Amino acid sequence: MECHTSLFEASKRPIVDVVDPGGVVRSQVIESPDASLRITLNGADSDRALAGRFVAGRLGSAVQHVAFESSDLFETERRLRKRGFQALPIPGNYYDDLEARFGLDGSMLAQLREGSILYDEDEGGQFLQLYSRPYGDGFFFEIVERRQGYGGYGAANAPFRAAAMKRLVSRELRTSALFHKLPQLFIAAWHPVLVDWTSFFA
């Protein structure tokens, strides 16, 4: 921590607890004076949490994701999608909840839903987040847009993002396991037929 603050002349924000489907993640932000550089340090006591599992597999430290800033996230998402970018799928009930919490108009909600973009706001402004699907064993990208003077990091969205990633990873693991079993299932299904034909020509 002291290395980061001295190297980048950054200051520390208070530690906050972020809810994860697998446990609580302790998160602390360090940022440069002009906030052009922001680093979030996460840790968890349980490896059931995505952050805890990621760190446990790397002997205590690693870069789990990199975030970039956009001045127009809706346009950025459209351009990325045309180039094959796959966003993290966000369930529809998240957007139903947004409507109830913030009273967003239909056009705004439709754009958020179409792009799988997450939303938050505080007294300073609005915050939009777009996540990639995880690569390899958990690394992912994030693109954000800060409107007006929003000063947070979308902590309210962290449980939804973590749950969406967990669902996606679990589904892909099940698909991968089934794919590896297909040759065995195919042989098992056709083996009696092969035996019958062998007997027929004997």
Side-chain angles (χ1 to χ4, degrees):
M1 176 69 74
E2 297 304 324
C3 171
H4 290 89
T5 54
S6 59
L7 182 62
F8 300 113
E9 298 182 353
S11 58
K12 295 182 285 187
R13 283 196 175 192
I15 295 175
V16 297
D17 290 339
V18 179
V19 178
D20 180 284
V24 175
V25 175
R26 306 207 74 195
S27 180
Q28 184 168 37
V29 171
I30 63 172
E31 58 185 20
S32 60
D34 63 355
S36 61
L37 174 69
R38 307 167 190 252
I39 300 175
T40 304
L41 304 176
N42 294 330
D45 293 333
S46 170
D47 60 7
R48 293 176 57 196
L50 289 177
R53 190 181 314 150
F54 190 86
V55 170
R58 285 156 184 79
L59 303 179
S61 65
V63 176
Q64 186 182 22
H65 90 278
V66 175
F68 300 95
E69 186 170 16
S70 168
S71 59
D72 185 345
L73 191 54
F74 291 131
E75 179 62 23
T76 297
E77 187 278 328
R78 283 190 288 268
R79 292 187 179 188
L80 286 173
R81 195 182 342 146
K82 287 181 180 179
R83 288 165 172 77
F85 174 82
Q86 292 185 314
L88 177 69
I90 305 298
N93 61 349
Y94 168 81
Y95 298 100
D96 298 335
D97 183 58
L98 279 187
E99 184 177 17
R101 287 169 56 204
F102 299 115
L104 300 177
D105 64 61
S107 174
M108 177 73 161
L109 275 171
Q111 290 186 85
L112 292 169
R113 191 187 297 266
E114 180 184 8
S116 291
I117 293 172
L118 288 81
Y119 175 91
D120 190 31
E121 64 180 53
D122 61 15
E123 64 279 0
Q126 301 171 319
F127 189 55
L128 282 68
Q129 297 170 281
L130 173 66
Y131 289 100
S132 73
R133 293 172 178 245
Y135 297 93
D137 53 359
F139 179 83
F140 60 94
F141 290 100
E142 176 187 10
I143 307 171
V144 305
E145 179 187 347
R146 294 177 181 273
R147 296 182 173 182
Q148 293 88 46
Y150 181 93
Y153 289 82
N157 288 326
F160 298 99
R161 187 265 305 162
M165 285 195 168
K166 193 170 185 178
R167 277 193 301 270
L168 181 63
V169 170
S170 297
R171 185 165 64 244
E172 289 180 346
L173 286 174
R174 288 196 300 270
T175 302
S176 177
L178 177 60
F179 177 79
H180 288 299
K181 287 181 179 179
L182 279 177
Q184 299 174 8
L185 293 172
F186 181 81
I187 292 171
W190 282 93
H191 183 70
V193 178
L194 292 174
V195 171
D196 289 344
W197 278 105
T198 303
S199 301
F200 180 80
F201 286 110

